[in-house]
């Protein structure tokens, strides 16, 4: 008999041998794993049918299959922008953080004594964001730019004392950010005014909760937001700037311009686009707003010996303590990605970051100059890295010509194309791009480039990344030693078992982590044409079908990028169901007291009133209390939210 290797992955990944399992089963009085499951799971809910999903394959066969799937993705040169850019993750970070279980298997740092390394890197991330934005305080990351902007509106609403229900959003924000804000604010009956910050903001009557402005705008144009910020303040609102972190190396800080909150994405600091995620967003504000902030904040304290010690600070704002009264349902956010972005800033330092920013802007300026010489008109002459061209009746021809040459441009509308430059672009690629626009012009290395595209009154003069950590580790050797020192301050799966929690990466096998480093998965832009992404579509389809089979549901969304976001999405679906049935008053959500803190926090964000169901000491629901509460709130009952198995 030839041994079947299809199940060897389970043994290698989980660990216990047949002999080990036999001893454990004997100790607890079970004859087999099946017997243990039958004794554990109540008969009425025990699944007896076999799941209709693919048969297992060996680890090596699975890797081969995934590689074949990955090669279905077509890798085009991307100039789409819209908040996502190609970047280089330094190899020292790729090897020592991204591919290192000492970093990616560590648990949430609730126990600071075994998490000082991660806490230091998250503190570095916060300092990096504070330096670029000029704000007093920053959190340790959020999920993405769009939800960070929505969280900023949430903060503004919590602090609003004028009972206003109006929010102004500049039409220059990225469309995905506007869409998320629409979803997140609709439940509270807030009125969104989307328009031109120079013209329409003045016409808004009365007070507003806040104004959201993009700096630079989605089409790349740099406008001075100072006047718009002043108008927002005169209407007693908070001014929120959605920023590009790299652009802030060359542009005045949000604080200098008078903003109250700065949000954005740190993706272009060394994080691959990965067809849309994950990436670490940032959120920074003034010190006076800190108790209304969402997300983790890492603070500096002292231990019992008086030595410096780091810990999570102001935790009473968070869902695991405040539950439905929390500032957000955000839980672990994007710690690993925030750590990588902080590492990128540490490795390059202020000089390196400035050189990257300047080089990108010079490429954009050189391209813009040659395009104008070729007879095209620009949407704006003020930009950092994104040039938008009025292509008029040539738009479709140029766009299709780009696709034929393996290039993705942003098709803004039938009259405009947008081109975003990034760290991976160079003179050769820029000259290829000029040919796509049928330009006879070309750029050479010796030509002097003056960055007149960045307005003088908005040019940054203040310093950034002045802390020693950003000025000490610029060689691979120094960086490796620093990261190793931090890793040695933590406990992760490479040191011992971690008996805490369920919703972390600590159970991801190495063979599951390797494919995320492959270019075919690593590089695609989230807004690349779907026909170029057959590999991703294949994976999504398979995963959706498996989840349908496992859950028994017909509809599956892969969009939520965290467990708490999945809760929120589910509650929003329930809310929509009741609205479709004209049950507008159904807004009560029953949640057991043993539930994870994100449950009540998510319900509150979905506009629901949380009613707590009592539980016993083991976390089991008190059915008598459940029945009483269900009857008491029967006319307004919207949902019962149960963690299964319980927390």
């Amino acid at each position: 008999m030839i041994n079947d290797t299809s199940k060897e992955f389970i043994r290698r990944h989980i660990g216990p041998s047949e002999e080990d399992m036999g001893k454990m089963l004997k100790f607890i009085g079970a004859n087999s794993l099946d017997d243990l499951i039958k004794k554990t799971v109540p008969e009425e809910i025990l699944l007896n049918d076999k799941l209709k999903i693919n048969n297992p394959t060996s680890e090596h066969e699975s890797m081969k299959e995934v590689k074949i799937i990955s090669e279905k993705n077509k890798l085009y040169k991307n100039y789409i922008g819209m908040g996502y850019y190609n970047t280089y993750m330094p190899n020292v970070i790729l090897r020592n953080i991204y591919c290192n279980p000492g970093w990616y298997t560590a648990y949430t740092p609730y126990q600071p004594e075994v998490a000082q390394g991660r806490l230091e890197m998250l503190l570095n991330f916060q300092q990096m964001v504070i330096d670029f934005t000029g704000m007093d305080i920053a959190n340790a990351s959020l999920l993405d730019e769009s939800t960070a902007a929505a969280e900023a509106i949430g903060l503004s609403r919590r602090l609003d004392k004028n009972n206003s229900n109006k929010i102004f959003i500049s039409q220059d924000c990225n469309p995905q950010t506007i869409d998320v804000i629409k979803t997140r604010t609709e439940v509270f009956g807030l009125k969104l005014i989307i328009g031109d910050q120079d013209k329409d903001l003045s016409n808004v009557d009365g007070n507003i909760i806040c104004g959201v402005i993009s700096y630079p705008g989605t089409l790349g144009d740099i406008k001075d937001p100072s006047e718009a910020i002043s108008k927002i303040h005169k209407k007693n609102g908070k001014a929120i700037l959605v920023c590009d972190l790299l652009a802030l190396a060359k542009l005045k800080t949000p604080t200098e311009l008078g903003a109250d909150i700065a949000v954005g994405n740190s993706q272009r600091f060394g994080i691959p686009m990965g067809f849309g995620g994950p990436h670490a967003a940032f959120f920074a504000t003034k010190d006076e707003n800190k108790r209304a902030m969402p997300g983790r904040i890492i603070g500096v304290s002292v231990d019992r010996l008086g030595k410096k010690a780091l810990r999570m600070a102001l935790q009473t704002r968070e869902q695991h303590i405040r539950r439905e009264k929390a500032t957000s349902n955000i839980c672990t956010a994007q710690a690993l990605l925030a750590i990588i972005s902080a590492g990128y800033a540490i490795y390059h330092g202020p000089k390196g970051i400035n050189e990257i920013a300047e080089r990108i802007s010079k490429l954009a300026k050189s391209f813009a100059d040659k395009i104008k010489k070729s007879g095209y008109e620009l949407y704006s002459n003020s930009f950092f890295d994104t040039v938008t061209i009025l292509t008029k009746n040539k738009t479709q021809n140029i766009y299709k010509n780009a696709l034929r040459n393996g290039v993705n441009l942003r098709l803004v509308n039938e009259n405009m194309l947008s081109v975003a430059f990034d760290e991976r672009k160079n003179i050769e690629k820029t000259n290829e791009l000029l040919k796509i626009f049928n330009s006879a012009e070309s750029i050479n290395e010796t030509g002097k480039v003056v960055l007149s595209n960045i307005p003088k009154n908005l040019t940054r003069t203040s310093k950034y990344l002045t802390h020693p950590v950003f000025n000490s580790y610029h060689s691979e050797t120094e960086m490796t030693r620093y990261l190793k020192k931090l890793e040695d301050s933590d406990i992760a799966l490479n040191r011992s078992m971690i008996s805490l929690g369920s919703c972390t990466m600590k159970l991801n096998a190495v063979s599951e982590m390797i494919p995320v480093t492959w270019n075919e998965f690593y590089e695609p832009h989230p807004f690349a044409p779907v026909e170029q992404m057959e590999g991703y579509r294949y994976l999504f389809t398979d995963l959706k079908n498996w989840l349908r089979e496992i859950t028994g549901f017909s509809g599956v969304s892969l969009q939520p990028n965290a467990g708490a976001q999945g809760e929120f999405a589910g509650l929003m679906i329930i809310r929509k169901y009741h609205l479709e049935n004209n049950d507008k008053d159904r807004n009560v959500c029953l949640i057991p007291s043993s539930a994870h803190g994100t449950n009540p926090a998510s319900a509150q964000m979905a506009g629901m009133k949380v009613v707590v169901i009592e539980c016993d000491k083991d976390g089991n629901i008190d059915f008598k209390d459940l029945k009483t509460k269900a009857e008491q709130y029967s006319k307004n009952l919207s949902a019962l939210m149960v963690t299964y198995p319980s927390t």
Side-chain angles (χ1 to χ4, degrees):
M1 178 180 174
I2 299 174
N3 289 340
D4 177 15
T5 61
S6 65
K7 294 183 180 179
E8 70 173 16
F9 169 78
I10 296 170
R11 177 179 61 80
R12 289 189 181 277
H13 180 43
I14 304 300
S17 66
E18 292 288 336
E19 187 181 347
D20 292 331
M21 287 192 286
K23 288 178 182 177
M24 288 186 277
L25 288 167
K26 185 178 179 182
F27 183 82
I28 59 177
N31 298 321
S32 64
L33 285 175
D34 287 338
D35 183 43
L36 173 62
I37 289 169
K38 283 181 180 178
K39 288 178 176 178
T40 305
V41 182
E43 187 178 351
E44 57 269 26
I45 62 169
L46 179 64
L47 181 68
N48 292 309
D49 299 330
K50 282 192 174 183
L51 291 172
K52 297 183 181 71
I53 58 177
N54 296 1
N55 292 324
T57 59
S58 71
E59 189 168 355
H60 297 294
E61 287 299 319
S62 295
M63 293 285 279
K64 279 171 62 179
E65 188 177 338
V66 173
K67 187 63 180 173
I68 291 167
I69 293 169
S70 76
E71 289 168 352
K72 294 177 185 287
N73 290 333
K74 297 174 184 174
L75 294 183
Y76 283 33
K77 296 184 186 78
N78 281 300
Y79 293 85
I80 298 171
M82 296 175 70
Y84 297 94
Y85 305 89
N86 279 116
T87 180
Y88 289 113
M89 183 188 295
N91 287 327
V92 66
I93 293 173
L94 177 71
R95 172 60 64 90
N96 291 291
I97 299 179
Y98 196 55
C99 297
N100 182 353
W103 289 95
Y104 71 70
T105 66
Y107 186 61
T108 302
Y110 288 126
Q111 293 179 281
E113 64 274 19
V114 293
Q116 288 297 296
R118 269 169 299 137
L119 289 170
E120 182 167 327
M121 279 301 274
L122 291 172
L123 186 70
N124 292 338
F125 176 84
Q126 291 175 184
Q127 187 60 53
M128 173 187 80
V129 172
I130 289 168
D131 282 7
F132 281 112
T133 62
M135 291 290 173
D136 300 323
I137 189 168
N139 70 15
S141 80
L142 291 175
L143 295 169
D144 53 35
E145 176 190 293
S146 303
T147 51
E151 294 284 359
I153 290 171
L155 180 149
S156 303
R157 183 168 168 264
R158 284 189 290 277
L159 297 177
D160 179 53
K161 296 176 181 176
N162 298 297
N163 294 318
S164 176
N165 72 333
K166 295 175 186 173
I167 294 167
F168 177 82
I169 305 174
S170 170
Q171 63 193 23
D172 291 337
C173 291
N174 281 320
Q176 69 270 24
T177 297
I178 294 173
D179 285 345
V180 169
I181 290 172
K182 285 178 181 177
T183 300
R184 291 278 290 266
T185 55
E186 182 262 336
V187 299
F188 299 110
L190 302 177
K191 182 180 179 182
L192 296 188
I193 301 155
I194 303 168
D196 187 309
Q197 66 201 49
D198 297 324
K199 299 174 184 176
D200 300 325
L201 186 53
S202 302
N203 299 326
V204 178
D205 292 329
N207 293 323
I208 61 175
I209 294 172
C210 60
V212 184
I213 298 167
S214 191
Y215 175 67
T218 185
L219 298 180
D221 56 318
I222 301 171
K223 296 176 183 175
D224 186 346
S226 303
E227 190 175 339
I229 289 170
S230 177
K231 289 176 184 176
I232 292 166
H233 287 158
K234 284 176 182 175
K235 295 179 184 297
N236 294 309
K238 298 289 184 190
I240 301 164
L241 275 195
V242 183
C243 314
D244 182 301
L245 207 56
L246 192 60
L248 291 179
K250 305 302 293 181
L251 296 174
K252 277 187 177 178
T253 68
T255 299
E256 289 174 292
L257 298 168
D260 301 290
I261 306 166
V263 299
N265 193 347
S266 66
Q267 178 269 320
R268 68 189 312 174
F269 274 42
I271 307 294
M273 289 188 288
F275 200 41
H279 313 113
F282 63 85
F283 187 111
T285 187
K286 296 177 178 178
D287 185 72
E288 65 202 52
N289 302 328
K290 65 188 175 196
R291 294 195 178 275
M293 274 182 75
R296 299 262 156 86
I297 299 172
I298 310 307
V300 181
S301 185
V302 292
D303 65 14
R304 61 188 177 85
L305 300 175
K307 295 180 181 178
K308 185 182 92 168
L310 308 177
R311 62 182 179 85
M312 294 199 297
L314 298 174
Q315 289 188 64
T316 50
R317 303 165 299 109
E318 294 194 63
Q319 48 73 31
H320 61 282
I321 293 175
R322 291 276 284 176
R323 302 179 73 78
E324 71 271 16
K325 294 178 181 177
T327 56
S328 169
N329 70 340
I330 286 291
C331 187
T332 50
Q334 304 287 22
L336 180 67
L337 293 312
I339 285 167
I340 291 171
S341 290
Y344 182 91
I346 291 166
Y347 190 54
H348 287 296
K351 185 180 177 183
I353 294 292
N354 183 65
E355 286 175 354
I356 292 167
E358 198 156 290
R359 185 175 157 279
I360 291 170
S361 201
K362 282 182 176 179
L363 279 174
K365 176 66 165 60
S366 300
F367 172 78
D369 288 345
K370 299 300 182 184
I371 277 290
K372 284 195 285 186
K373 276 190 177 181
S374 303
Y376 292 96
E377 187 182 345
L378 300 186
Y379 174 76
S380 172
N381 287 303
S382 298
F383 53 85
F384 167 64
D385 61 8
T386 301
V387 182
T388 298
I389 306 110
L390 304 179
T391 42
K392 300 176 183 176
N393 61 352
K394 298 178 182 177
T395 303
Q396 281 296 334
N397 286 338
I398 296 169
Y399 182 71
K400 289 173 182 175
N401 188 27
L403 291 173
R404 283 192 295 271
N405 285 275
V407 170
N408 287 326
L409 306 176
R410 180 182 176 188
L411 179 63
V412 179
N413 54 39
E414 288 303 310
N415 294 304
M416 288 195 294
L417 290 169
S418 193
V419 178
F421 290 83
D422 56 49
E423 188 183 3
R424 289 200 176 197
K425 303 304 184 287
N426 55 30
I427 289 173
E428 182 185 350
K429 290 175 182 176
T430 306
N431 284 331
E432 288 173 3
L433 193 59
L434 285 166
K435 288 179 183 176
I436 287 169
F437 279 81
N438 296 313
S439 169
E441 300 288 332
S442 64
I443 300 163
N444 61 64
E445 291 184 16
T446 57
K448 186 179 179 183
V449 183
V450 178
L451 293 180
S452 56
N453 51 306
I454 297 177
K456 282 187 178 179
N457 65 318
L458 294 175
T459 299
R460 182 165 189 153
T461 56
S462 57
K463 292 182 178 181
Y464 51 86
L465 304 182
T466 57
H467 190 280
V469 75
F470 299 110
N471 295 276
S472 303
Y473 309 109
H474 300 157
S475 76
E476 190 170 302
T477 307
E478 291 164 336
M479 189 67 176
T480 299
R481 288 172 181 162
Y482 177 60
L483 294 176
K484 183 61 179 172
K485 183 189 82 169
L486 297 184
E487 183 193 339
D488 287 346
S489 302
D490 279 21
I491 286 183
L493 197 65
N494 61 340
R495 292 186 181 275
S496 74
M497 71 168 286
I498 305 167
S499 55
L500 293 167
S502 57
C503 50
T504 71
M505 291 175 67
K506 65 178 181 284
L507 291 178
N508 283 21
V510 174
S511 59
E512 292 171 301
M513 297 298 291
I514 287 173
V516 302
T517 67
W518 296 344
N519 286 346
E520 295 89 350
F521 291 136
Y522 189 91
E523 290 189 11
H525 193 285
F527 299 120
V530 291
E531 57 269 20
Q532 295 171 15
M533 294 292 108
E534 281 299 318
Y536 265 117
R537 290 167 72 186
Y538 187 97
L539 284 179
F540 295 163
T541 301
D542 265 2
L543 182 55
K544 283 182 178 181
N545 287 337
W546 294 335
L547 289 172
R548 285 189 187 102
E549 174 66 16
I550 291 166
T551 63
F553 288 113
S554 58
V556 174
S557 171
L558 303 178
Q559 184 62 33
N561 52 2
Q565 299 302 102
E567 296 167 9
F568 176 71
L571 289 161
M572 290 294 282
I573 290 167
I574 291 168
R575 180 178 178 275
K576 188 72 173 177
Y577 170 82
H578 290 310
L579 290 175
E580 289 289 316
N581 289 326
N582 288 321
D583 281 334
K584 296 179 182 178
D585 296 327
R586 291 200 173 274
N587 65 345
V588 170
C589 185
L590 303 180
I591 300 178
S593 61
S594 63
H596 195 282
T598 56
N599 292 191
S602 296
Q604 181 274 327
M605 284 174 59
M608 295 186 183
K609 177 185 175 184
V610 175
V611 173
V612 178
I613 305 300
E614 297 301 320
C615 294
D616 64 21
K617 61 182 178 62
D618 296 318
N620 299 309
I621 293 171
D622 181 333
F623 279 94
K624 184 179 178 182
D625 190 51
L626 172 60
K627 186 177 180 182
T628 300
K629 299 272 175 67
E631 289 173 351
Q632 181 182 348
Y633 296 98
S634 59
K635 291 183 180 179
N636 304 106
L637 190 57
S638 175
L640 168 66
M641 195 173 184
V642 178
T643 305
Y644 175 70
S646 73
T647 312

